[in-house]
Amino acid sequence: MQKGTACCNHSFPEDYVPEHHKLVDEAYDHFLISSEQLSLDKACGLVRTDAAGAISTFEGTTRNTFNGKRVVRLEYEAYESMAKKEWYKIVGEAREKYHILGTVVHHRTGEVCVGQTSVIIAVSSAHRADAINAVHFLIDSLKARLPVWKKELLDDGSDTWKENEQVDLDVHQPTTG
């Protein structure tokens, strides 16, 4: 961040992050679990601001194979109130590591066919490194910690509930400079 850069109608000195950018705020940090199709454009619109020099995104989609088996669709279930509470804890951790302006997570529940979007994460920040690193941290944290469960349905009629991924979150270091 450069000296004199305007943010939220005020200026701040170089390397200063206003306190309100360190706090989780539902006006800037958006959470949605839905059985409806997700939109990357809508997610980006929620984090877009004149103070942002970067918006970084992750869009997870249903692929057609897993371990050599043909996937027909995924089915997701979520404990929504607990997921929202945990998501905002994760966002708080991201805000401690990275200078971010806004965040979005939109996650599907129900049936998600091959090629459809299961999850979208979007982050805005003044600089690209913070946005890119925050998205990586957020998707890894979501996969490890959110109470959202995925069942893979295969073309042979079998299905498998997938466990949350084991992720080393310590590899995510704060962006410097």
Side-chain angles (χ1 to χ4, degrees):
M1 297 182 189
Q2 296 185 354
K3 189 173 185 174
T5 301
C7 171
C8 307
N9 299 321
H10 59 270
S11 296
F12 54 91
E14 188 174 348
D15 296 326
Y16 172 75
V17 179
E19 282 300 313
H20 64 275
H21 289 292
K22 296 178 185 176
L23 304 174
V24 176
D25 184 334
E26 290 188 39
Y28 304 105
D29 299 304
H30 304 274
F31 176 88
L32 173 70
I33 290 182
S34 175
S35 61
E36 302 297 319
Q37 288 196 13
L38 305 177
S39 167
L40 185 59
D41 286 341
K42 286 181 184 177
C44 288
L46 290 170
V47 297
R48 190 171 306 280
T49 173
D50 289 344
I55 295 174
S56 185
T57 63
F58 173 83
E59 183 175 10
T61 59
T62 302
R63 63 180 176 269
N64 64 358
T65 60
F66 183 75
N67 286 341
K69 296 182 180 180
R70 197 140 191 83
V71 175
V72 175
R73 71 180 178 275
L74 302 176
E75 292 180 2
Y76 287 92
E77 292 183 10
Y79 185 165
E80 188 171 350
S81 61
M82 185 182 285
K84 184 175 184 176
K85 189 175 188 178
E86 187 64 24
W87 178 252
Y88 285 128
K89 287 181 190 175
I90 292 167
V91 169
E93 293 167 20
R95 286 186 171 284
E96 289 176 13
K97 290 178 174 288
Y98 311 107
H99 299 176
I100 56 181
L101 301 171
T103 66
V104 165
V105 65
H106 290 174
H107 206 299
R108 284 281 301 271
T109 54
E111 292 185 7
V112 182
C113 295
V114 170
Q116 291 184 336
T117 300
S118 300
V119 62
I120 293 173
I121 292 179
V123 174
S124 62
S125 64
H127 302 285
R128 70 180 176 272
D130 286 305
I132 292 167
N133 292 330
V135 166
H136 189 191
F137 172 80
L138 291 170
I139 189 61
D140 280 357
S141 298
L142 178 151
K143 298 291 269 176
R145 295 170 48 187
L146 243 57
V148 175
W149 303 279
K150 172 174 69 173
K151 181 167 60 169
E152 285 181 335
L153 291 99
L154 306 175
D155 69 348
D156 65 5
S158 65
D159 60 59
T160 305
W161 283 100
K162 308 300 278 187
E163 293 185 27
N164 283 2
E165 291 183 17
Q166 298 297 316
V167 178
D168 181 6
L169 297 174
D170 292 333
V171 302
H172 297 283
Q173 298 300 312
T175 304
T176 58

